[in-house]
């Protein structure tokens, strides 16, 4: 706890390429939580004169678009919350890239990073946080998600529906979920195609 706090950059006091790099390398503590960032990143801009912080990260841990959206939103919020508390910063841009295969499927590391993600690096989406004063006593923070194309948006919708259909069904038990994992593989809960069929299990049991 103490060492982590000592290594955590305080962007509310100073924003520069060095302090933002330190924040992304060591993680950021905000509220009661601690957020870590992808290991592969670049600081595109960090300037108190322009009021802008912009970074680009390469996500190799998210298995699909929904996970990438969720993880990226948490990371962007942590960075923006810290940086926008600086009086000289009013815009934080968090670009998220990922590796994709020939079918535009997101690739991720496996076996604890022993097998790194491969493919073509592509920009997936961007979180933009802005700060403005609506009057003398009120400060407004706004977040927008941009650069998301129709294909990515459609995949996220399907992945959300895939998980929601299970959550909303009161008859679904943990035993049933475990059985679906066994029959179809865990990819079915990520909005992807089943990675095995029941006939595969029958062949294994012979």
């Amino acid at each position: 706890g103490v060492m982590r706090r000592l290594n955590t950059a305080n962007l509310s006091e100073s924003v520069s390429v060095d302090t933002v790099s330190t924040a992304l390398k060591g993680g950021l503590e905000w509220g009661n939580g601690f957020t870590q960032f992808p290991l592969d990143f670049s600081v595109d801009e960090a300037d108190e004169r322009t009021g802008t912080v912009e970074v680009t990260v390469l996500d190799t841990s998210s298995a699909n678009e929904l996970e990438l959206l969720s993880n990226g939103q948490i990371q962007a919020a942590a960075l923006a919350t810290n940086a926008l508390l600086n009086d000289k910063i009013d815009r934080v841009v968090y670009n998220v890239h990922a590796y994709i295969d020939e079918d535009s499927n997101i690739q991720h590391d496996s076996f604890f990073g022993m097998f790194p993600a491969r493919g073509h690096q592509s920009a997936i989406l961007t979180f933009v946080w802005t700060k403005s004063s609506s009057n003398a006593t009120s400060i407004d923070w706004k977040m927008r998600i941009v650069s998301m194309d129709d294909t990515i948006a459609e995949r996220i919708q399907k992945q959300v529906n895939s998980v929601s259909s299970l959550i909303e069904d009161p008859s679904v038990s943990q035993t049933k979920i475990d059985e679906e994992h066994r029959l179809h593989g865990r990819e079915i809960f990520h909005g992807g195609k089943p990675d095995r069929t029941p006939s595969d299990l029958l062949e294994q049991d012979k």
Side-chain angles (χ1 to χ4, degrees):
V2 174
M3 286 303 298
R4 190 177 72 185
R5 286 179 173 86
L6 290 175
N7 291 328
T8 299
N10 189 352
L11 302 181
S12 63
E13 294 182 355
S14 175
V15 164
S16 66
V17 171
D18 288 339
T19 58
V20 173
S21 294
T22 298
L24 295 178
K25 286 178 182 177
L28 279 173
E29 191 163 11
W30 59 298
N32 293 323
F34 181 76
T35 300
Q36 293 180 300
F37 299 87
L39 295 177
D40 195 341
F41 66 85
S42 64
V43 180
D44 306 314
E45 183 177 1
D47 194 333
E48 292 182 345
R49 294 170 298 180
T50 63
T52 298
V53 172
E54 180 168 0
V55 303
T56 299
V57 301
L58 177 60
D59 184 338
T60 60
S61 63
S62 298
N64 55 43
E65 290 80 4
L66 181 58
E67 287 187 16
L68 185 145
L69 173 66
S70 176
N71 292 334
Q73 186 162 335
I74 292 171
Q75 295 157 10
L79 181 65
T81 299
N82 204 286
L84 291 178
L85 289 174
N86 186 313
D87 293 338
K88 299 177 182 177
I89 300 299
D90 54 28
R91 187 168 183 265
V92 176
V93 181
Y94 193 82
N95 304 300
V96 184
H97 291 197
Y99 288 119
I100 60 174
D101 63 14
E102 60 274 9
D103 296 319
S104 297
N105 296 310
I106 289 179
Q107 304 299 293
H108 62 94
D109 298 340
S110 56
F111 289 98
F112 305 101
M114 293 179 61
F115 297 96
R118 298 178 180 274
H120 170 68
Q121 183 174 332
S122 177
I124 306 299
L125 48 82
T126 295
F127 299 89
V128 180
W129 284 75
T130 56
K131 178 179 67 179
S132 60
S133 299
S134 56
N135 54 55
T137 60
S138 177
I139 298 177
D140 297 332
W141 288 18
K142 296 180 181 179
M143 189 274 285
R144 294 182 300 127
I145 301 175
V146 301
S147 303
M148 183 190 303
D149 62 28
D150 291 340
T151 300
I152 294 173
E154 182 179 354
R155 289 188 176 189
I156 290 175
Q157 183 63 49
K158 288 181 178 179
Q159 290 157 11
V160 168
N161 291 340
S162 176
V163 176
S164 297
S165 63
L166 285 173
I167 295 174
E168 293 169 0
D169 187 348
S171 67
V172 174
S173 64
Q174 185 61 47
T175 301
K176 185 173 181 180
I177 292 176
D178 292 340
E179 183 65 15
E180 288 293 315
H181 282 169
R182 190 176 76 86
L183 292 175
H184 302 290
R186 293 182 178 273
E187 186 60 29
I188 190 173
F189 293 101
H190 294 151
K193 296 179 180 179
D195 51 28
R196 67 173 70 97
T197 64
S199 60
D200 294 332
L201 293 180
L202 293 176
E203 293 179 359
Q204 293 176 3
D205 294 337
K206 289 182 179 179

